[in-house]
Amino acid sequence: MLDAREEQAYRLLVGLSAARPSELAEVADLPQQEADEVLQRLQAKGLVAVHYSDGPVFRPLPPDVALGTTLLRRQESLEAARKTVAALSEEFRASASRRDAHHLVEVIVGANALRERLRDLQESAHQEILWFCRANPLAMQGADNTEEYGALSRGVRYRAIYERALLEQPGELDTIAEGVSWGEEARSLPTLPVRLAIVDRATAVCPLVRDDELGIGEPTAAIIGRGQLLDALLALFESHWEMATPVKLQAAEPADEIEGLDDNERFLLSLLVAGVPDKSIASQLGISRRTVQRRLDRMMALAGVDTRTGLAFQAAKRGWI
């Protein structure tokens, strides 16, 4: 995609319709050499064309053609990862009856057994724990997962992606906020493909029963060790992490560089970008919908925009979330 300097140069070039490097350097207040380099990078990415008339003259090209290809490749990569997980999971199910405890996959049955295994894995973690947190947890509610705080306190990194429907359930945002205050890195997506936990990139826990079959019998999950299936699950997590929207309470930059936003406003903004409706935001934060609207109006004024879409774009661009 584009870095900040390339985006600025492209926007200026759109406004100018066409420009020589020296003209762009003057408008963008850049050294001549840097303007030349930025234009060359934009040309390499298919965003500008050049013709010569007493020297090179650059004109902008439509961004959807060049950048659309990049987005399509990411979508294709995600779809390939999803198909790999589906194929390997089907292969596992077909051969699970022939496996024993000495193989790479162990099957556990029952909510209690699954809950205890999740607790044990967190207590033994040394480096990192990854979560896909879907709505309606199978074995353990977020508020019951006190092992997370112990792991965070000893330096284990937590990265969790929450399904949007989970954010809208009563009390869940309070639990997520508590985890974030301890150091958890939280993001959100509209939907997640599976329930998943991965510990130290060495062991994964993945339920085997689909959501539409949860009412039939006890929950069943696979404990997956190192191998191709685990590699595929790691790739699936990382591809979704890249697309997910951050949910933050604290800014990544010092407070005096965030243009007057307080922690509550940054948290509210991250929920808005994640797609949580005003009613759910107000309920979870214990404020009225009118207060939610008033705070969003203030942030839109601060960002110099008059729509929520514009606010979300400016928030990402300025590093507010």
Side-chain angles (χ1 to χ4, degrees):
M1 302 299 283
L2 302 181
D3 62 29
R5 186 56 54 81
E6 291 168 348
E7 179 183 344
Q8 178 196 26
Y10 180 78
R11 288 177 179 272
L12 290 173
L13 200 58
V14 168
L16 294 170
S17 297
R20 302 177 187 278
S22 59
E23 295 170 337
L24 180 64
E26 181 178 355
V27 173
D29 193 22
L30 293 174
Q32 176 72 39
Q33 181 179 355
E34 189 169 348
D36 288 337
E37 293 174 353
V38 171
L39 286 169
Q40 290 172 9
R41 294 202 302 271
L42 290 175
Q43 184 182 7
K45 293 180 178 181
L47 286 169
V48 300
V50 60
H51 66 274
Y52 291 86
S53 175
D54 296 328
V57 178
F58 292 84
R59 60 181 178 83
L61 296 175
D64 54 345
V65 176
L67 299 184
T69 300
T70 300
L71 293 175
L72 179 60
R73 287 174 182 163
R74 290 188 178 181
Q75 291 175 343
E76 290 174 346
S77 176
L78 175 60
E79 180 63 16
R82 188 194 66 78
K83 289 181 178 179
T84 299
V85 170
L88 290 172
S89 296
E90 187 61 33
E91 180 181 338
F92 159 74
R93 293 188 187 99
S95 60
S97 61
R98 298 189 298 273
R99 299 179 186 269
D100 59 33
H102 299 291
H103 287 76
L104 295 177
V105 177
E106 173 192 357
V107 177
I108 58 175
V109 179
N112 289 336
L114 178 55
R115 181 164 50 249
E116 289 306 311
R117 182 58 63 90
L118 288 171
R119 294 188 189 281
D120 291 343
L121 286 171
Q122 290 182 91
E123 289 176 347
S124 65
H126 296 289
Q127 298 174 337
E128 182 179 52
I129 295 178
L130 312 176
W131 290 98
F132 271 171
C133 301
R134 299 189 70 183
N136 304 315
L138 290 182
M140 184 164 52
Q141 299 291 330
D144 297 330
N145 187 22
T146 55
E147 285 74 21
E148 174 180 353
Y149 307 137
L152 284 167
S153 66
R154 66 175 185 270
V156 176
R157 183 187 185 191
Y158 267 72
R159 289 193 285 156
I161 305 178
Y162 294 92
E163 204 167 49
R164 183 179 299 166
L166 183 63
L167 299 181
E168 299 178 20
Q169 294 180 1
E172 286 296 333
L173 277 180
D174 291 337
T175 300
I176 295 169
E178 178 70 12
V180 171
S181 71
W182 280 75
E184 175 188 303
E185 299 171 49
R187 296 189 180 186
S188 175
L189 282 173
T191 60
L192 290 170
V194 294
R195 303 173 193 275
L196 179 66
I198 303 177
V199 179
D200 288 342
R201 310 184 78 85
T203 306
V205 181
C206 185
L208 298 175
V209 179
R210 298 183 307 186
D211 280 8
D212 58 3
E213 299 174 350
L214 291 180
I216 305 174
E218 288 275 10
T220 303
I223 309 298
I224 302 163
R226 296 184 187 275
Q228 289 188 344
L229 180 54
L230 179 60
D231 291 344
L233 292 173
L234 285 165
L236 184 69
F237 179 90
E238 296 296 352
S239 62
H240 279 69
W241 181 260
E242 183 178 348
M243 296 186 300
T245 301
V247 178
K248 294 185 178 180
L249 284 175
Q250 297 179 352
E253 303 175 23
D256 59 359
E257 297 181 14
I258 307 298
E259 304 185 34
L261 295 186
D262 61 31
D263 287 348
N264 288 331
E265 288 173 325
R266 287 194 292 276
F267 188 35
L268 188 157
L269 184 57
S270 70
L271 297 178
L272 171 73
V273 175
V276 179
D278 287 7
K279 182 178 179 181
S280 296
I281 293 175
S283 175
Q284 294 289 350
L285 298 183
I287 58 178
S288 67
R289 294 177 68 179
R290 185 182 297 274
T291 300
V292 171
Q293 180 61 60
R294 186 170 62 251
R295 292 182 180 180
L296 289 173
D297 287 343
R298 190 186 92 81
M299 287 187 280
M300 284 191 285
L302 196 60
V305 298
D306 55 9
T307 65
R308 295 188 177 193
T309 301
L311 175 60
F313 174 80
Q314 288 295 327
K317 182 178 178 181
R318 300 183 185 203
W320 287 357
I321 56 174

